[in-house]
Amino acid sequence: MTVLFWVVAFAYVIGRFVERTGPMWLAETFVKIGSWWLGAMVYLTLLFLLTDILRGVNGLFNGSDLLRFAWLSGKGKTVVWVVYSFTAIILFGGYLSAKYPTVRRVPIQISKQVPDGGQKVLLVSDIHLGMTITNGRLKRMVDLVNREKADVILLAGDIFDEDLGPVIQNNMGDLLKNLKAKQGVFAVLGNHEFYGNASAALEYLENHNITVLRDSVVTLPNGVEIVGREDITAERMYGKPRKSLDELLAGVNEKNPVFMLDHQPYKLSEVAAHKVDLQVSGHTHNGQMWPFNYITGALFEISRGYGKILDTHFYVSSGYGTWGPPIRTNSRSEIIVLEVSGN
């Protein structure tokens, strides 16, 4: 039993190693077991800690007999089962929140004229395609996105979880290339593409009709400028700094609407000091599981949803997929429809 415990405890790490060196079915088994274990450990730890705190406070003030027990007593064993049952309910609810996405509609009015009386911008971030988010979830996403008949689709990074092996093996590219928008599908790379193989991720996306912007700009036929920033992970891993905003925006016609993709929503005030009308990001997952949203909230100026700084609008999506545990306990899997109008 001791050996089994440690195998399960390190299953996620084992699965990630096997993913690169061994059979995919074995890697997938370990990763899925390990993912659920991670989620269970978070809430078992929190609930047992809370119970012990209540026991301690109750004992300090000589309170109710209900909270006066030893863990190995009959009452204590009952409490253990209650904690395990409550954890199971949390995990199941979180699994449903992750599996069944919501489509959020956000009206945004920028201080410029917008072509065609308005633009419908479809934002999806943090899909994390791989061993946990596979073909079924991807097909649901593609169907929901295409139903909107968007002017442009923006994929704000972490499209792949890490290694491309499961994506290639399950031929997920055939689903990705079904994404349709009037002006095209554009993406930036996220930190997880760099944890895997950024060059391979770039090639795979472009082979399936998705234009990847790496510190580059594209002008759409209707005049909208789409700017894609390299993820800051590239600099951290390879020591190659990304372009400054001045360099990146040097050739942009600022009279046109300027939409920027940047996977991680860092230094938003710096972006707002330039002529960017809308920046979309992801990365944070809104912490994915309570109480980690408090950490992301402390790290980022805007860690989830809509915000505005000076004349620049921002939207940070909590993402479509999940990393690690396939659960969300403080937000739902989401697809964002930004309805952009002008003055």
Side-chain angles (χ1 to χ4, degrees), residues 254-273:
E254 294 178 349
K255 294 181 180 179
N256 294 333
V258 179
F259 301 159
M260 179 179 288
L261 295 92
D262 191 357
H263 176 62
Q264 303 188 45
Y266 279 119
K267 298 184 178 180
L268 302 187
S269 296
E270 181 182 329
V271 177

Side-chain angles (χ1 to χ4, degrees), residues 110-114 254-258 275 277 341-343:
I110 67 174
S111 56
K112 294 178 184 174
Q113 289 187 344
V114 178
E254 294 178 349
K255 294 181 180 179
N256 294 333
V258 179
K275 298 295 184 180
D277 299 293
S341 61
N343 56 10

